[in-house]
Amino acid sequence: MYFCFTMSTTASVAKQPAVPAALRLLRLKFRLLSALSTELAFGAAWRLFTTPRRLPIKNWEAAAVAEARQYWVSTARGAIAVYEWNPQGARTILLVHGWEHRASFWGVMARGLVAAGFRVLALDGPAHGASSGRRTTLPAFARAVQAVADEAGELYAVVAHSLGAAATAGIPVEFNRTTTGRLARLVLLAAPGSTAAVAQRFAQFLHVPAAVVQRMHRYIREQHGRDAESFSLIRTGRTLPVDQALLVHDFADESIPFAEAEEIANNWPTLIFRPTTGLGHNGVMRDAGVIRQLVEFLA
């Protein structure tokens, strides 16, 4: 994926005595491609980096979205699936998922927010869930969030996880553009601090040479007119038009190092930082204690 390559696979590999055969073959592929041509290796790496797996639907996901109304938002690059819970809620909260997730992953969080009286929206990002596409990038993900936000009416808060946090706060997405241009509350869960560091973890995991990583960074500059690190929350967070922001990150996050959360907090003086223990990268989305804290913060 673009800037938020999940490292959960890396963590599981590290605990095993042998590297899985599929990973050995993938690393061999990049070694051979790199020996032939940096450009060939870059093309293969970029395709992998921007192609999320469509993971099997878990049993509990169907129940999560059964209570929601599904609708669609059209964009220049395809249709985005959106789910709405409690349309009569007094204030609206938008949930933005991470890499290889989908709106249904927010089921526990959505129920908690609905119980607190909120109207809740969640989208399937491009190339995720029911939405269009097979590949996506961080800017493309952000454009989809922007399209949903523009059609949602007045948004009170956004809760974003991992890649969703990077897209929401790193590009960044502009909320309430026809009214105040501000967001009352922003919650970031397991957010990556440095976009360049994510790309570097991707490269280390697959043993991609430095020349290929440099080519990826050059491609980003060519496509977007800015360096990859300019999307980093370490740089962008403190400039966001947000009344109050909260960051939740677990000490044992297997995908995004805790040190990145500390760096975000150190560079964002008004940010409220709440570390957790034992929840990992995804557990922060559905932990009862975290949801209670979020409801209190959003009140």
Side-chain angles (χ1 to χ4, degrees):
M1 51 110 347
Y2 193 40
F3 286 142
C4 237
F5 179 78
T6 178
M7 297 302 290
S8 57
T9 310
T10 311
S12 62
V13 168
K15 297 174 184 176
Q16 297 176 3
V19 176
L23 179 56
R24 290 201 304 270
L25 287 173
L26 199 54
R27 287 172 172 172
L28 175 61
K29 172 185 174 179
F30 281 110
R31 185 162 68 247
L32 294 174
L33 286 174
S34 299
L36 289 171
S37 164
T38 294
E39 200 65 22
L40 283 174
F42 157 70
W46 190 254
R47 282 190 297 275
L48 183 61
F49 198 49
T50 58
T51 305
R53 297 169 299 169
R54 298 274 188 167
L55 299 177
I57 297 175
K58 300 175 176 62
N59 292 334
W60 52 265
E61 291 185 75
V65 296
E67 305 158 4
R69 174 182 74 93
Q70 185 190 52
Y71 66 96
W72 301 86
V73 172
S74 297
T75 74
R77 300 195 178 187
I80 300 299
V82 185
Y83 303 82
E84 179 186 38
W85 292 264
N86 192 29
Q88 293 79 32
R91 293 181 291 188
T92 301
I93 297 177
L94 175 63
L95 307 178
V96 185
H97 67 76
W99 185 248
E100 296 184 337
H101 283 192
R102 45 197 166 236
S104 53
F105 276 58
W106 287 112
V108 176
M109 178 73 71
R111 291 189 192 101
L113 295 174
V114 165
F118 293 103
R119 173 189 178 221
V120 179
L121 302 177
L123 70 146
D124 288 337
H128 290 74
S131 293
S132 300
R134 296 181 60 186
R135 297 172 61 188
T136 191
T137 63
L138 189 71
F141 204 98
R143 286 193 294 270
V145 177
Q146 186 72 69
V148 173
D150 288 345
E151 288 209 9
E154 189 73 14
L155 285 175
Y156 172 70
V158 173
V159 180
H161 176 253
S162 194
L163 167 74
T168 298
I171 296 298
V173 177
E174 298 175 356
F175 297 103
N176 301 320
R177 294 201 287 187
T178 62
T179 55
T180 63
R182 296 188 64 81
L183 193 65
R185 301 287 187 273
L186 174 64
V187 178
L188 304 174
L189 306 176
S194 167
T195 53
V198 172
Q200 189 58 44
R201 287 194 292 273
F202 169 84
Q204 289 172 349
F205 179 56
L206 294 175
H207 296 178
V208 173
V212 176
V213 178
Q214 291 167 4
R215 178 67 181 90
M216 292 173 67
H217 286 308
R218 189 166 80 251
Y219 181 77
I220 293 167
R221 286 195 300 273
E222 292 167 356
Q223 293 296 306
H224 305 295
R226 52 193 283 197
D227 290 336
E229 194 61 14
S230 71
F231 299 107
S232 169
L233 269 66
I234 293 167
R235 295 190 180 186
T236 62
R238 62 180 178 272
T239 68
L240 298 175
V242 173
D243 292 342
Q244 293 185 46
L246 170 69
L247 172 63
V248 179
H249 204 110
D250 195 76
F251 284 107
D253 191 312
E254 68 279 11
S255 298
I256 308 297
F258 185 78
E260 290 195 28
E262 293 180 306
E263 194 169 4
I264 294 171
N266 289 337
N267 285 276
W268 192 340
T270 60
L271 179 74
I272 300 170
F273 182 31
R274 300 273 177 82
T276 61
T277 302
L279 299 179
H281 187 65
N282 294 330
V284 293
M285 299 175 67
R286 49 184 175 264
D287 178 73
V290 170
I291 294 173
R292 282 195 299 271
Q293 290 187 59
L294 262 60
V295 169
E296 291 174 2
F297 172 74
L298 295 169

